[in-house]
Amino acid sequence: MGACQSFREMCDREKNTNVHLSLPAVCIVWQTAMIILFGVFMRYDHESDAHWVEHRKHSNLTDIENDFYFRYPSFQDVHVMIFVGFGFLMTFLKRYSFGGVGFNFLIAAFGLQWALLMQGWFHWLDADGKIRIGIENLINADFCVAGCLIAYGALLGKVSPVQLMVLTLFGITLFAVEEFIIISVIHARDAGGSMVIHTFGGYYGLSVSWMLYRPNLHQSSRLQGSVYHSDVFAMIGTLFLWMFWPSFNSAICDHGDGQHRAAINTYLCLASTVLTTVAISSLFQKHGKLDMVHIQNSTLAGGVAAGTAAEFMLMPYGCLIVGFCCGIISTLGYIFLTPFMEKHLKIQDTCGIHNLHAMPGVVGGIVGAITAASASIEVYGHEGLVNTFDFMDKFKDMVPTTQGGHQAAGLCVALCFGIGGGIIVGAILRLPIWGDPADDNCFDDETYWEDVRICNVKSEFSQLLHMVNSSM
């Protein structure tokens, strides 16, 4: 107990937000490490290498059959979601728009490089010890980064850019390990990442936030809110995410019916979620008015929940049911659970990732397990069952009921890695060496950004009108 108390006292000493040396050092050193590691391990795969011409002739293929032409449209959509969708969704705070978009950019740019290496070592390492990179690797790297961006949502406005780099380094590493266990070892299916991305990322961020609990955060409560224009910018992020989520969930599915079905399932889940979100938001607000926080976030919960079962035969009406339930769960989470967690569990969740990602991710994992366990030859056909659940090689004798158990086991692994990893990383980030802001200086861009100008439009218009009247 004495050691724990000493650790807390050391971590809670006076904050110094000067990252003049630490941030450049971390960025330069880690980027140099990426250059070296890419030079040692990374090579083009056969479809992006100059020898493709020879391979194409030998295999009697055409250029249009290169995987680039099948995957790049989905990659483009996912890439926009990562940099524009997530970035603008985090601009809702009245004085933290630079940090929302800018640090999202930083995390993603570093994270995708580290993800290419980590995922490559687990999934793509060939006999020569090289990682062969192609368009699908880029999509998976963006997925990996998404988990860290989700975690950032819980910490928005309360951490330094150096802490975010450390969060990303460990987050990508944990993600690669849990993804390998869930997909390759347990053999769970998770095309859209309800378990691997959203459940892990959500509980990783919440656990870190619990470790970094700020008892005096109310001192920054004046900035922990939105204004009209910041909510409009955040809504831009919502719309980009909402429109491109079918691409996100279908991006790495098998070509053909699986990818087609994943887009349809996600599309319907998202549509259903919007109506129930609006209904619950209106029902629980005075005079039936809508809360913009719910519209920005809970309307996306259906896309999260559709991820695991995206390529399964969920059926159109089943998709609408999943979206219907997620809209209710997510919106009620913002109304009741978020304040409860902050007051009683000491978890300060800035963006409400528990309601948008963590809970819908768990719902998606459960839906995936039930749908897999209830699969049958009558619904899928024999070849469809084998193709959808990859019942091949050492898993060729697996039956749907067993696959359902594997899906449930995958969800448990995601929860364990998210919570356990978040606690460990949170303990590291609690050390007083990262330049994080004091409790009375959170949610403010001026802490880490130069020339922050907060414009009060009404005030400036009044001043301009006064000057015009004075000159007349």
Side-chain angles (χ1 to χ4, degrees):
M1 291 295 291
C4 291
Q5 183 63 29
S6 299
F7 177 75
R8 289 195 185 96
E9 290 175 357
M10 178 186 71
C11 293
D12 292 337
R13 69 190 187 189
E14 187 176 351
K15 306 286 187 181
N16 180 4
T17 58
N18 189 339
V19 292
H20 178 67
L21 296 177
S22 58
L23 181 58
V26 167
C27 290
I28 295 297
V29 171
W30 289 7
Q31 186 58 62
T32 302
M34 292 299 106
I35 293 170
I36 295 170
L37 290 171
F38 268 62
V40 173
F41 291 102
M42 200 69 69
R43 299 293 184 270
Y44 297 117
D45 71 0
H46 72 279
E47 291 187 306
S48 54
D49 191 270
H51 291 87
W52 160 254
V53 178
E54 300 168 13
H55 174 79
R56 182 193 67 193
K57 291 179 179 178
H58 181 266
S59 303
N60 196 28
L61 301 172
T62 62
D63 279 332
I64 201 65
E65 292 174 275
N66 190 301
D67 201 39
F68 174 84
Y69 296 100
F70 292 102
R71 299 289 186 191
Y72 187 75
S74 295
F75 163 71
Q76 200 171 25
D77 291 351
V78 172
H79 217 45
V80 169
M81 289 178 70
I82 295 300
F83 287 92
V84 179
F86 277 101
F88 275 89
L89 186 62
M90 296 186 190
T91 61
F92 68 95
L93 291 173
K94 64 180 72 173
R95 292 189 60 171
Y96 206 74
S97 295
F98 286 9
V101 175
F103 293 153
N104 182 91
F105 195 10
L106 175 67
I107 292 171
F110 167 63
L112 65 86
Q113 297 176 70
W114 184 228
L116 286 169
L117 286 163
M118 285 300 304
Q119 290 181 312
W121 287 326
F122 278 103
H123 297 284
W124 307 98
L125 206 61
D126 64 12
D128 298 328
K130 304 299 181 183
I131 300 168
R132 302 294 172 176
I133 184 175
I135 189 66
E136 192 169 341
N137 302 70
L138 306 187
I139 296 172
N140 278 299
D142 277 359
F143 282 175
C144 198
V145 165
C148 293
L149 296 179
I150 291 167
Y152 174 40
L155 309 171
L156 186 69
K158 301 177 293 185
V159 290
S160 72
V162 181
Q163 283 178 306
L164 290 175
M165 292 289 281
V166 176
L167 176 88
T168 305
L169 178 72
F170 286 106
I172 296 293
T173 305
L174 288 164
F175 182 99
V177 176
E178 62 109 16
E179 179 193 44
F180 177 76
I181 293 172
I182 292 172
I183 304 300
S184 300
V185 177
I186 296 177
H187 190 70
R189 306 291 285 173
D190 194 21
S194 295
M195 301 183 294
V196 172
I197 299 172
H198 300 284
T199 300
F200 165 77
Y203 286 104
Y204 177 58
L206 292 170
S207 298
V208 172
S209 183
W210 179 66
M211 290 297 296
L212 299 182
Y213 175 70
R214 292 171 174 270
N216 299 312
L217 189 61
H218 62 274
Q219 295 175 358
S220 294
S221 60
R222 69 192 185 283
L223 300 177
Q224 195 177 1
S226 64
V227 290
Y228 191 82
H229 67 268
S230 68
D231 271 334
V232 171
F233 274 108
M235 196 63 198
I236 293 172
T238 297
L239 293 175
F240 269 101
L241 290 170
W242 198 91
M243 289 188 298
F244 290 143
W245 217 297
S247 295
F248 188 93
N249 284 354
S250 64
I252 59 171
C253 293
D254 292 335
H255 299 316
D257 66 288
Q259 197 166 40
H260 194 170
R261 192 163 52 247
I264 293 172
N265 289 347
T266 307
Y267 179 91
L268 294 174
C269 278
L270 285 165
S272 179
T273 304
V274 174
L275 272 70
T276 48
T277 296
V278 170
I280 299 301
S281 180
S282 176
L283 183 64
F284 282 87
Q285 297 298 318
K286 191 174 182 180
H287 304 305
K289 295 183 178 181
L290 300 175
D291 189 327
M292 198 58 170
V293 172
H294 306 155
I295 307 305
Q296 289 165 356
N297 295 279
S298 296
T299 52
L300 302 171
V304 174
T308 297
E311 56 186 337
F312 300 170
M313 293 285 284
L314 192 54
M315 297 300 175
Y317 71 89
C319 300
L320 295 178
I321 292 172
V322 171
F324 183 93
C325 295
C326 280
I328 296 172
I329 293 169
S330 180
T331 310
L332 291 179
Y334 278 101
I335 297 170
F336 298 110
L337 275 182
T338 297
F340 175 85
M341 289 168 63
E342 180 166 354
K343 183 177 180 180
H344 299 286
L345 302 182
K346 310 301 181 186
I347 298 175
Q348 295 159 327
D349 182 6
T350 307
C351 290
I353 65 168
H354 185 246
N355 314 305
L356 172 54
H357 297 281
M359 284 197 301
V362 171
V363 170
I366 295 171
V367 169
I370 295 172
T371 309
S374 60
S376 65
I377 292 178
E378 288 75 18
V379 175
Y380 287 80
H382 180 266
E383 291 298 323
L385 202 63
V386 170
N387 184 62
T388 300
F389 296 102
D390 199 23
F391 289 159
M392 301 174 188
D393 301 326
K394 63 180 180 180
F395 300 104
K396 64 181 181 347
D397 296 323
M398 186 177 286
V399 295
T401 51
T402 305
Q403 180 65 37
H406 285 225
Q407 295 290 142
L411 179 59
C412 293
V413 170
L415 285 167
C416 290
F417 268 81
I419 296 171
I423 290 172
I424 295 170
V425 175
I428 296 171
L429 295 181
R430 195 174 171 87
L431 294 171
I433 59 173
W434 308 116
D436 53 313
D439 288 354
D440 61 349
N441 200 29
C442 295
F443 315 117
D444 195 342
D445 274 331
E446 289 188 1
T447 306
Y448 299 110
W449 296 86
E450 191 69 38
D451 294 329
V452 177
R453 298 181 179 89
I454 308 298
C455 176
N456 186 321
V457 177
K458 184 176 180 180
S459 175
E460 292 200 358
F461 179 76
S462 298
Q463 292 177 15
L464 179 63
L465 189 63
H466 177 72
M467 291 172 60
V468 172
N469 291 334
S470 299
S471 62
M472 291 178 64

